[in-house]
Amino acid sequence: MEILSSSQLEAKTCQPCEGGVEPCELTHAKQQLAALGSEWELVDGGKKISRKFKLKNFVEAMRLLNAVAELAELEQHHPDLHLTGYRQVRIDLTTHAIGGLSENDFIVAAKIDTVVKQLG
């Protein structure tokens, strides 16, 4: 898997992953995350990427979560979504079938970044 810019990732579509492929190596994940150029961070020993948001209120938090849910359904790649304290959101991306990161995680992260910009 080559290192892609945010716009290159966003132009792609997630591909089904039923396992049988190796997860992204930590070095590659770090490089891809740097190329993404946003507020995502590696967590869980490099098996996930995560981004946190603090929204104005519960309605704004739910608006973000619903927009991400719609995107995830379109891409058929679903993040773990967390809402705490009524306005704090954390989104975790990993490819569960392989126990680590795949290109799909970075594609969805790039698309989530665009959704966030669109929501203001």
Side-chain angles (χ1 to χ4, degrees):
M1 179 169 59
E2 66 181 294
I3 304 299
L4 301 173
S5 70
S6 182
S7 59
Q8 288 173 311
L9 288 166
E10 192 175 356
K12 296 188 83 155
T13 302
C14 290
Q15 299 301 308
C17 181
E18 300 298 328
V21 296
E22 290 296 314
C24 213
E25 291 185 19
L26 184 59
T27 303
H28 181 83
K30 287 178 180 178
Q31 292 172 340
Q32 184 57 76
L33 201 59
L36 191 57
S38 68
E39 298 177 40
W40 293 91
E41 61 181 335
L42 281 170
V43 296
D44 196 17
K47 293 181 181 180
K48 296 179 183 178
I49 56 175
S50 183
R51 184 168 174 191
K52 297 177 183 176
F53 304 86
K54 188 172 185 177
L55 290 298
K56 286 193 277 186
N57 53 46
F58 179 77
V59 172
E60 293 295 316
M62 289 307 301
R63 198 169 92 173
L64 172 60
L65 290 173
N66 286 325
V68 170
E70 287 182 32
L71 167 65
E73 275 297 296
L74 287 173
E75 291 297 326
Q76 286 299 296
H77 191 70
H78 303 91
D80 295 331
L81 304 173
H82 308 271
L83 172 63
T84 56
Y86 81 88
R87 66 184 185 137
Q88 296 176 48
V89 171
R90 187 181 86 230
I91 301 172
D92 297 331
L93 284 160
T94 190
T95 302
H96 298 282
I98 61 172
L101 292 168
S102 71
E103 185 176 57
N104 288 346
D105 300 302
F106 296 102
I107 291 169
V108 172
K111 291 182 180 198
I112 289 172
D113 288 345
T114 297
V115 165
V116 169
K117 288 175 191 167
Q118 291 171 345
L119 290 175

